[in-house]
Amino acid sequence: MNVKLHLGIDDTDSMKGGCTTYIAALLVYEYSKLGVSWMDYPNLVRLNPNIPWKTRGNGAVSLRFEVDKSMIDDVVDVALKVIEKESMIDDENVDPVLAVYRGCITDELRRFAYLAETEVVDVEYALKLADSLGVARWVFRNPRGLVGALAAIGEDLRGDYTYELIAYRTFSMRGKPRMIDPGSVIAMDEATRGETYANIDPETGRILVTPRGMDPVLYGIRGETPEAVYRAHRFIKSYEEVERWVIFRSNQCTDAHLKSKRTISSLKPYVAAVLEGVVSDRPRIIPGGHVIFKLSDGTGTIDCAVYEPTGRLRVIASKLVDGDRVRVYGGVKPFDKGLTFNIEKIEVLEARAITRIMNPLCPYCGRRMKSAGLGKGFRCGRCGFRDRGSAKIEIYMDRDLKPGLYLPPPRAFRHLTKPIERYGREKTGGVVWFYPWHEP
Ligand code: ATP
């Protein structure tokens, strides 16, 4: 008899190496050999990016397939062997967890995933939920990884989603510079524009598909469809061997963490939030080039920070004035006994009109007139025209800031940031298979 299995894996890597997606890629190969019936591409689920104890991008993975009941033990054995071999288990901050759930995803699991994408989740809560749903788990050290493993199971991507094709390097190349032809990335970017995202940073020309750490990822291409990421992958010229590649379905590039509108008084450290309010003092630039301004929403006031690496977003923030109405997207960080809101996106809802009181212009020569003395009107310094009846006028200043949504450049994106090209392209719906989706 076939059963539906969902495997969730998290917390296998450290800054010294490893990658939970690589473990998933190895398991895709092993389970395909076992003859499982895949229900989905492997899912790469990004969780709350504001969690301070994440290694890099707070990613967890899940694998979903049907298999004969008699094979469950084999499935678990294979996963445990791969996790034991590939996890950076010697690092004491690495707490790998494998969670295995049988059946259909429940709304409770989906709610749990949503919490893990937007807030800080208590491990106790994860343990309780796992118990109540009969989720089996294998904890290698500390159960903290269960939060990510369970969230990866619960996020079945019924809402918006994208794809990422990740190509991995061979063991002997780990830690060495990645040998990819930059020209082939530029060609790929041009050929797949609108279908793949954030391949190159347009301002700096920096190639973004290759990570820079010790992990086994050679490159990752994000896009709208599996066809698009596969086509893009075929463009890339690599001077080192690609050991394997897999297409993941993912919540990356969907703003999954930025769905909760909150009030300032309700904010807690490390939550992701959308705030709406009024700028309550002029932005100031602090050492390092970061822009700070205060936002008030009637329930409270918070310092908003736009950091220097966010490039043009920082320029937009510096043009705000008190009284502007904005919607800001980002995460809460504790700072100096209070809280700061770190901005990822700004939506200017209303740029307040700024006026200045000035002397009137001369109707004959267009020059700004001078006061002729108290109660004596104005006089033109160029043509001598005098107007006793004229008064100062109110001039509207050019704000150089239009209402609209502003994002940082791609080099400053978080994994979850929805690029501007994806607005209006959000999709829902079941899995559509594309072949090949992994190799080997
Ligand atoms: P990588 O992206 O390279 O895979 P990472 O950044 O995902 O690494 P992990 O090593 O997985 O980092 O560590 C993140 C840890 O935080 C995991 O133990 C995970 O269970 C936990 N975690 C993730 N999201 C939350 C959350 N919202 N609340 C509490 N704990 C969380």
Side-chain angles (χ1 to χ4, degrees), residues 158-264:
R158 291 204 311 180
D160 193 18
Y161 59 89
T162 59
Y163 291 87
E164 178 166 1
L165 184 149
I166 306 184
Y168 299 93
R169 23 189 11 203
T170 55
F171 186 77
S172 62
M173 292 304 290
R174 309 257 177 100
K176 297 184 182 154
R178 289 166 172 84
M179 294 199 293
I180 296 295
D181 173 15
S184 70
V185 180
I186 294 167
M188 174 277 277
D189 184 56
E190 276 166 13
T192 63
R193 192 150 300 159
E195 291 300 310
T196 60
Y197 305 116
N199 301 313
I200 298 171
D201 184 69
E203 285 175 13
T204 57
R206 207 174 96 195
I207 303 279
L208 301 176
V209 296
T210 43
R212 284 178 291 180
M214 301 285 286
D215 57 90
V217 174
L218 181 56
Y219 55 83
I221 302 166
R222 292 159 188 202
E224 207 53 45
T225 61
E227 290 92 330
V229 292
Y230 179 72
R231 197 160 84 83
H233 156 68
R234 303 271 294 175
F235 267 87
I236 305 290
K237 246 191 232 143
S238 171
Y239 299 117
E240 61 174 273
E241 192 187 332
V242 173
E243 185 201 86
R244 65 188 63 241
W245 60 263
V246 175
I247 295 177
F248 290 84
R249 201 159 75 91
S250 178
N251 63 351
Q252 292 175 149
C253 307
T254 68
D255 273 359
H257 63 316
L258 297 177
K259 301 271 190 282
S260 296
K261 194 165 166 233
R262 301 180 198 266
T263 55
I264 292 174

Side-chain angles (χ1 to χ4, degrees), residues 355-360 368 391-397:
T355 56
R356 262 172 71 182
I357 305 295
M358 297 181 90
N359 293 351
R368 199 162 295 286
K392 287 203 180 245
I393 51 170
E394 195 177 21
I395 305 269
Y396 283 84
M397 307 301 292

